[in-house]
Amino acid sequence: MFRPGVLYSYRLNGDTDRPDPASRFQPQGVHGPSQVADSRFNWTDDSWRGLPLDEYVLYELHVGTFTPQGTFDAIIPRIADLKLSASPQLKLCPLAQFPGSRNWGYDGVYPFAVQDSYGGPQALKRLVNACHQQGMGVVLDVVYNHLGPEGNYAGDFGFYFTDMYKTPWGAALNFEQGHSDEVRRYFIENALQWHH
């Protein structure tokens, strides 16, 4: 087992290095190697029990444009103001690793990896923990019908895509044709990841 911080990639067909399609962190972007992420975190939100569904009012927040820094950590000092002026729930625009440092996130290509320019997985945990401490929930906008085109190497690992459907953002995912059991399992595992 590798220690957190170790960079790695997969060598396919003897000569092609590819990032891990289930990478938890891509600190060098969508074309760079994957990094073993530290899953440990000192959660201090034990009293958080969530909010009743009828109290859900969402404030949609784009991490990259909400503050000049464009990071999760830069949001933390503003949580109290958000809670007073907006709602008890932050809805974060898609966070899956996408090409570049700023965009809407709908062309993410690593659904398990939290965007590096926003601060990565540990910074997201700090934001969620801080929100919970102040009685504010966090909702994630996830994209499960396509992956973006740039840095999308998932097709090198299996039958992830289909021509049966078209999307304006990238290749449509294969949820119902041959070999789709594995594709569905990949995205089910992704959804479960956000609850840990």
Side-chain angles (χ1 to χ4, degrees):
M1 184 151 206
F2 293 111
R3 294 184 332 272
V6 170
L7 295 173
Y8 70 99
S9 58
Y10 289 108
R11 179 150 294 167
L12 303 178
N13 302 321
D15 61 355
T16 304
D17 287 350
R18 293 288 188 242
D20 183 350
S23 171
R24 299 307 201 262
F25 193 37
Q26 289 294 122
Q28 297 177 26
V30 296
H31 301 290
S34 302
Q35 182 174 335
V36 177
D38 193 343
S39 61
R40 296 171 297 175
F41 186 79
N42 185 27
W43 293 99
T44 58
D45 64 350
D46 291 340
S47 63
W48 175 253
R49 297 291 177 253
L51 295 170
L53 191 56
D54 62 351
E55 293 181 25
Y56 267 51
V57 177
L58 301 176
Y59 179 88
E60 187 170 26
L61 186 143
H62 184 276
V63 176
T65 61
F66 185 71
T67 66
Q69 299 86 354
T71 65
F72 298 119
D73 287 327
I75 297 168
I76 293 172
R78 300 181 67 184
I79 293 170
D81 292 334
L82 282 169
K83 188 175 176 194
L84 287 173
S85 65
S87 71
Q89 301 280 349
L90 281 186
K91 177 186 173 220
L92 300 177
C93 286
L95 307 174
Q97 183 73 40
F98 52 75
S101 60
R102 299 284 182 267
N103 76 26
W104 287 104
Y106 291 98
D107 59 347
V109 291
Y110 295 95
F112 289 84
V114 177
Q115 178 63 21
D116 70 306
S117 62
Y118 293 170
Q122 290 294 318
L124 174 61
K125 290 175 184 180
R126 288 191 295 271
L127 173 62
V128 171
N129 194 57
C131 284
H132 288 176
Q133 288 175 331
Q134 296 188 49
M136 186 174 234
V138 178
V139 176
L140 301 181
D141 184 348
V142 294
V143 178
Y144 289 152
N145 71 331
H146 69 274
L147 297 177
E150 185 180 343
N152 180 351
Y153 301 111
D156 293 350
F157 290 88
F159 300 93
Y160 283 87
F161 304 106
T162 180
D163 293 330
M164 182 182 245
Y165 305 104
K166 302 291 181 208
T167 79
W169 292 96
L173 293 163
N174 173 24
F175 287 123
E176 58 189 80
Q177 294 179 307
H179 306 284
S180 61
D181 287 349
E182 293 82 4
V183 178
R184 288 193 303 270
R185 189 171 312 123
Y186 175 86
F187 284 95
I188 289 168
E189 289 297 321
N190 180 258
L192 293 172
Q193 164 190 278
W194 302 117
H195 291 285
H196 295 276

